[in-house]
Amino acid sequence: MSWNRAEMCKRAALELKDGFYVNLGIGMPTLVANYIDKQKNITLQSENGMLGMGPFPKPGMQDPDLINAGKQTITSLPESSYFSSADSFAMIRGGHIDLSILGAMQVSKQGDLANWMIPGKMVKGMGGAMDLVAGVKKVLVLMDHNAKDGSPKIVNNCDLPLTGKKVVDLIITNLGVFEINQGVKVKEIADNVTKESLINKTETELLF
Amino acid sequence: MKNNDYKKFYNSPEDALEGLLFDGMTIMSGGFGLCGLPENLILSLRDSGVKNLTVISNNAGTEGHGLGLLLETKQISKAISSYVGENKLFEKQYLSKEIELEFNPQGTLAERIRAGGAGIPAFFTATGVGTLVSKNKEHKTIKGKEYILESGLISDLSLVKAWKGDKAGNLIYRKTARNFNPVMATAGKNTVAEVEEICEVGELDPDQIHTPGIYVKRIIKGLNYSKAIENLTLSED
């Protein structure tokens, strides 16, 4: 047993604190938006140039001039603002964004992140990931604990090309929550997951 | 009476590009995905037959849209982009080495363009430190943190798309169609803008201008915008 995608997203949403400005990456991180506590005031940033991202539009209400970084149609909110790509990344690099949630292929015990390139395969590009991990206050990785072939994704050293060095603060997987702080500290274990199976499925040493 | 004819307004994209194109030139093209693309100018660029282009653009378009049109005619020899994932033709030309590709982190790309337009030759950034991006770049530790030196970018020609513009070249963008367009407008030796709505001088509120006319050499009213949606996503309820 372990957490499913919805449970992982729900757990990640708890890391969004009241008043936070947050950037959600493409894929599973985008789904975290569905689990944000309505009592909290959270502003979502889209790096193509928008603060205050609203939900996806109702059929017929889509606007080709209004998309998110995943090129999905979205809507605005009363508090929304638009700006250029340069302003958007000034916001990111200037440390004004509180939290970024991204997917990953590998994370090392030092917090190195690899999520953009597999040598020998066609490279799509890093998009804004390198800027985000270098600039935002806190980086949360949301990913499956193991790759499709079962290989561990929390490793001693990333063998894939890096997106950033020593940039990850927290990892949420289907098996638990892990903090990078002079090693990988286990903060929570998913329901019905044993300590032994967690150790077996992780390359690097876990601190309990 | 002040002369309000800035001689920037052209009747067609062909006229607006006349005399500005040459083989081997560097072109910046605004837009993010298929949002805010200078559709009319790209078509005209394709029809001009100019080749061996270095194109600076966040993405490489898709089949039949944006810079995808220039890939079909093999007019691009090098692309500087942050993400080209959606284009199969690009992938094919890249793997067969017909096209050279330089990946820039998106924020580094935006800032390189901003710097270029502002006369800043280079700047230090933390983005890319410890990654392939930092290879062969100058490193510097400032107040205990490591940075790499990135250079400013300018183009021979920048093609931008805005929502409204006036005949003095002032531009206003709409929603997320703004993206790279304003910075690219500043970084072109020549900048040509296309707009959905062209206004007479004085019709736009000076307080609402995003790109001041000084950056825009020529302007046209674009026609027949396809405004394709790459990833239509609707709410379920």
Side-chain angles (χ1 to χ4, degrees):
Chain A
M1 277 298 289
S2 58
W3 287 332
N4 61 29
R5 283 165 74 88
E7 288 164 324
M8 289 165 70
C9 291
K10 206 178 274 183
R11 178 60 190 80
L14 296 179
E15 298 299 322
L16 277 57
K17 310 293 183 209
D18 193 26
F20 265 23
Y21 290 88
V22 178
N23 184 293
L24 301 176
I26 294 164
M28 190 163 31
T30 301
L31 302 176
V32 173
N34 299 333
Y35 301 94
I36 298 173
D37 180 356
K38 299 271 189 292
Q39 300 303 309
K40 291 181 192 167
N41 181 313
I42 304 292
T43 306
L44 298 179
Q45 199 246 19
S46 189
E47 66 263 30
N48 53 320
M50 180 186 196
L51 266 176
M53 237 199 304
F56 298 125
K58 292 193 162 62
M61 299 301 284
Q62 66 270 18
D63 181 344
D65 286 342
L66 183 47
I67 62 169
N68 66 15
K71 285 103 180 177
Q72 293 174 299
T73 43
I74 49 165
T75 57
S76 63
L77 297 170
E79 67 270 28
S80 297
S81 56
Y82 302 110
F83 34 83
S84 75
S85 300
D87 288 332
S88 178
F89 282 94
M91 213 175 272
I92 289 166
R93 293 165 173 228
H96 304 282
I97 304 288
D98 296 293
L99 177 73
S100 172
I101 304 184
L102 300 97
M105 297 168 189
Q106 289 179 330
V107 181
S108 81
K109 64 181 175 190
Q110 302 88 5
D112 298 348
L113 170 69
N115 77 348
W116 76 285
M117 178 180 184
I118 299 173
K121 286 199 177 175
M122 176 61 196
V123 184
K124 292 181 171 187
M126 69 290 276
M130 287 188 182
D131 309 280
L132 282 160
V133 298
V136 302
K137 289 180 190 152
K138 185 172 178 179
V139 174
L140 192 171
V141 163
L142 184 61
M143 65 175 190
D144 286 327
H145 201 85
N146 297 86
K148 285 195 180 103
D149 66 0
S151 60
K153 294 172 73 166
I154 302 177
V155 295
N156 288 316
N157 289 295
C158 298
D159 45 33
L160 294 170
L162 296 185
T163 308
K165 222 173 160 59
K166 295 184 183 172
V167 292
V168 177
D169 300 290
L170 198 71
I171 309 170
I172 296 176
T173 76
N174 49 319
L175 301 185
V177 181
F178 310 87
E179 189 182 46
I180 308 281
N181 184 2
Q182 295 167 325
V184 181
K185 285 186 179 154
V186 181
K187 298 257 290 181
E188 288 169 42
I189 304 181
D191 310 331
N192 303 317
V193 173
T194 63
K195 216 169 140 176
E196 290 66 36
S197 77
L198 198 55
I199 290 168
N200 287 336
K201 288 176 173 171
T202 309
E203 182 186 282
T204 194
E205 185 193 357
L206 293 173
L207 309 168
F208 290 90
Chain B
M1 272 289 283
K2 187 185 173 305
N3 179 0
N4 265 345
D5 183 6
Y6 289 80
K7 301 182 176 65
K8 293 185 180 187
F9 180 68
Y10 285 67
N11 283 315
S12 71
E14 294 73 30
D15 289 349
L17 294 181
E18 178 69 36
L20 300 182
L21 304 178
F22 57 93
D23 289 348
M25 71 189 300
T26 296
I27 292 180
M28 288 181 185
S29 183
F32 181 93
L34 302 181
C35 185
L37 295 179
E39 296 185 23
N40 288 261
L41 292 165
I42 291 173
L43 273 174
S44 188
L45 189 63
R46 181 195 66 181
D47 295 343
S48 76
V50 66
K51 56 185 190 296
N52 198 16
L53 300 174
T54 293
V55 174
I56 301 170
S57 187
N58 188 54
N59 312 95
T62 62
E63 274 169 66
H65 292 290
L67 299 177
L69 295 169
L70 303 181
L71 289 169
E72 286 165 19
T73 48
K74 303 197 173 176
Q75 286 167 276
I76 302 176
S77 60
K78 182 178 177 181
I80 302 177
S81 301
S82 87
Y83 191 84
V84 297
E86 279 82 16
N87 199 316
K88 287 270 174 277
L89 188 57
F90 190 99
E91 182 173 339
K92 211 177 135 214
Q93 293 186 12
Y94 173 70
L95 293 173
S96 64
K97 297 197 164 40
E98 288 174 82
I99 200 164
E100 188 190 336
L101 174 60
E102 179 187 320
F103 276 126
N104 280 195
Q106 197 175 133
T108 292
L109 182 62
E111 190 63 15
R112 290 184 74 191
I113 298 166
R114 196 197 72 79
I120 297 166
F123 58 93
F124 283 103
T125 178
T127 299
V129 169
T131 76
L132 292 174
V133 167
S134 69
K135 223 170 133 184
N136 302 324
K137 286 182 184 150
E138 186 183 331
H139 286 61
K140 187 167 183 154
T141 302
I142 302 172
K143 291 182 182 168
K145 195 173 170 185
E146 200 175 12
Y147 298 89
I148 53 172
L149 189 67
E150 294 278 4
S151 61
L153 284 171
I154 54 166
S155 69
D156 295 308
L157 174 66
S158 285
L159 305 180
V160 303
K161 153 77 178 31
W163 177 38
K164 292 180 181 181
D166 68 19
K167 291 179 177 175
N170 295 305
L171 304 177
I172 295 175
Y173 306 93
R174 184 171 179 273
K175 302 188 179 182
T176 56
R178 190 183 313 186
N179 55 63
F180 279 84
N181 285 298
V183 272
M184 287 183 172
T186 69
K189 287 180 195 160
N190 290 302
T191 291
V192 180
E194 61 174 85
V195 295
E196 292 175 56
E197 199 180 313
I198 186 81
C199 301
E200 294 302 326
V201 173
E203 285 179 6
L204 297 176
D205 178 354
D207 260 338
Q208 304 303 319
I209 304 294
H210 298 132
T211 292
I214 188 170
Y215 296 114
V216 177
K217 186 123 179 170
R218 299 178 182 179
I219 186 167
I220 58 159
K221 183 188 181 323
L223 300 170
N224 306 318
Y225 282 100
S226 68
K227 289 201 182 186
I229 292 176
E230 205 166 327
N231 196 349
L232 177 65
T233 309
L234 301 169
S235 66
E236 280 150 25
D237 45 272

